C-alpha cells in the first residue's frame, strides 16, 4: 500500500493486544497511527484538536471496535460522529469479534465505511484503510476548494456578482448591459474583473468552477 501523505489512522479498541497489533501492522506499511483504549478518550482528543483547529488538515480514518464494556460503545461513538458530520472526513471502519449482519448493514447505511470481523486478513484490512484514507483526502480537498471559492466570491463587489450571475447564465454583454441598465463597456470591465478575481479565462470555466465547488 502506498500511504497517503501525512495520513493518520486512529484506533479505538479496549483490547491492548488488538491496539498493538494494529499499530504494528500500520507501521509495517509506513502509516502513522494513534491508539485509544476507550471511546471517551478518543472523544476527548477529538474535541481538543477540533477546538484548536488541528483536525481535518490531513487524511485520516478510524478503526473502531463495536463493543467496549464499561463505557461508551463503538456504536454510540459512531452515532455522535454522524450527528456532527465527522464521518465525511474521517471514514469509520468497524472492527468486531461478534459477527452481526443486521448491525453491519445498519452502520454502513448510516455512513460507516466498512465493517470487518475479527480475525481479519491484514492485506484486506490495509486495502480498506487505504481506500478510506483516499476518501478522506478527497473530502479535505473538496473543503479546501469550497473555502478558496468563498474567498474569491467575497472579493467581488455587488455589481461584479450581478454581472457574474448573468455571464454564467450565458447572456452576451449587450443583454447584460440592458438588464443592469449600464453600458456595454462597463459590463466588459466588470466581466474582466470577475474573471481575474475568480482566476478563470472564460464563461464556461467560470460556470464549471461554480458547479464543481459550490459555495457552502
Amino acid at each position: 500500500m502506498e500511504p497517503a501523505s501525512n495520513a493518520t489512522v486512529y484506533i479505538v479498541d479496549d483490547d491492548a493486544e488488538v491496539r498493538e497489533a494494529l499499530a504494528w501492522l500500520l507501521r509495517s506499511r509506513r502509516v502513522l497511527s494513534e491508539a485509544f483504549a476507550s471511546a471517551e478518550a478518543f472523544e476527548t482528543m477529538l474535541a481538543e484538536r477540533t477546538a484548536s483547529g488541528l483536525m481535518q488538515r490531513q487524511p485520516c480514518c478510524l478503526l473502531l471496535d463495536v463493543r467496549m464494556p464499561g463505557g461508551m460503545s463503538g456504536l454510540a461513538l459512531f452515532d455522535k460522529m454522524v450527528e456532527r458530520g465527522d464521518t465525511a472526513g474521517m471514514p469509520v471502519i468497524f472492527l468486531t469479534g461478534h459477527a452481526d449482519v443486521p448491525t453491519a448493514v445498519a452502520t454502513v447505511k448510516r455512513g460507516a465505511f466498512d465493517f470487518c470481523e475479527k480475525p481479519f486478513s491484514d492485506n484486506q484490512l490495509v486495502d480498506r484503510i487505504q481506500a478510506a484514507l483516499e476518501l478522506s483526502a478527497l473530502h479535505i480537498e473538496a473543503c479546501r476548494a469550497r473555502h478558496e471559492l468563498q474567498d474569491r466570491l467575497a472579493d467581488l463587489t455587488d455589481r461584479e456578482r450581478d454581472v457574474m450571475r448573468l455571464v454564467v447564465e450565458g447572456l452576451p454583454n449587450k443583454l447584460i448591459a440592458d438588464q443592469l441598465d449600464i453600458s456595454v463597456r462597463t459590463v466588459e470591465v466588470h466581466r474582466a474583473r470577475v474573471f481575474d478575481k475568480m482566476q478563470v479565462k472564460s464563461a464556461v470555466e467560470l460556470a464549471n468552477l461554480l458547479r464543481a465547488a459550490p459555495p457552502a
Side-chain angles (χ1 to χ4, degrees):
M1 173 180 86
E2 287 297 325
S5 178
N6 298 321
T8 299
V9 177
Y10 298 106
I11 303 165
V12 178
D13 197 303
D14 63 302
D15 189 324
E17 291 185 1
V18 172
R19 294 197 304 273
E20 291 170 4
L22 288 170
W24 179 89
L25 173 63
L26 291 166
R27 282 197 302 274
S28 73
R29 308 303 176 95
R30 305 192 308 279
V31 178
L32 297 175
S33 68
E34 292 185 42
F36 302 84
S38 68
E40 290 87 350
F42 177 76
E43 272 280 83
T44 298
M45 179 280 296
L46 195 59
E48 291 175 350
R49 294 188 187 177
T50 299
S52 63
L54 295 177
M55 294 304 296
Q56 291 308 308
R57 293 184 179 180
Q58 62 187 33
C60 62
C61 71
L62 172 61
L63 302 182
L64 178 60
D65 190 18
V66 172
R67 300 178 181 179
M68 290 177 283
M72 184 189 302
S73 71
L75 293 174
L77 172 59
F78 178 67
D79 288 341
K80 286 177 173 283
M81 294 178 67
V82 170
E83 290 173 4
R84 294 192 299 255
D86 293 342
T87 56
M90 187 186 300
V92 176
I93 299 175
F94 274 107
L95 304 176
T96 180
H98 310 277
D100 185 343
V101 173
T103 299
V105 172
T107 55
V108 170
K109 283 184 176 180
R110 293 200 63 205
F113 185 78
D114 211 338
F115 201 98
C116 300
E117 184 181 358
K118 304 172 186 176
F120 39 75
S121 161
D122 287 353
N123 287 337
Q124 288 180 356
L125 178 60
V126 167
D127 286 345
R128 298 309 292 153
I129 289 171
Q130 177 62 15
L133 292 175
E134 290 172 356
L135 185 64
S136 175
L138 289 174
H139 172 78
I140 292 171
E141 175 59 24
C143 289
R144 184 203 62 75
R146 283 195 296 271
H147 291 154
E148 183 178 288
L149 177 58
Q150 285 297 310
D151 289 341
R152 295 181 193 177
L153 290 171
D155 196 34
L156 298 177
T157 66
D158 289 342
R159 179 59 81 191
E160 287 167 354
R161 285 174 178 269
D162 292 339
V163 170
M164 180 179 70
R165 174 176 54 82
L166 297 175
V167 167
V168 170
E169 289 178 5
L171 272 64
N173 290 348
K174 178 65 170 65
L175 290 182
I176 294 175
D178 291 343
Q179 285 206 22
L180 298 180
D181 195 23
I182 55 179
S183 70
V184 172
R185 177 55 185 160
T186 300
V187 171
E188 292 172 348
V189 170
H190 286 312
R191 184 187 183 112
R193 288 176 179 169
V194 167
F195 283 12
D196 181 60
K197 290 181 179 181
M198 298 301 291
Q199 299 178 25
V200 297
K201 296 181 179 179
S202 69
V204 171
E205 190 178 347
L206 176 61
N208 287 339
L209 173 65
L210 296 174
R211 183 166 51 249

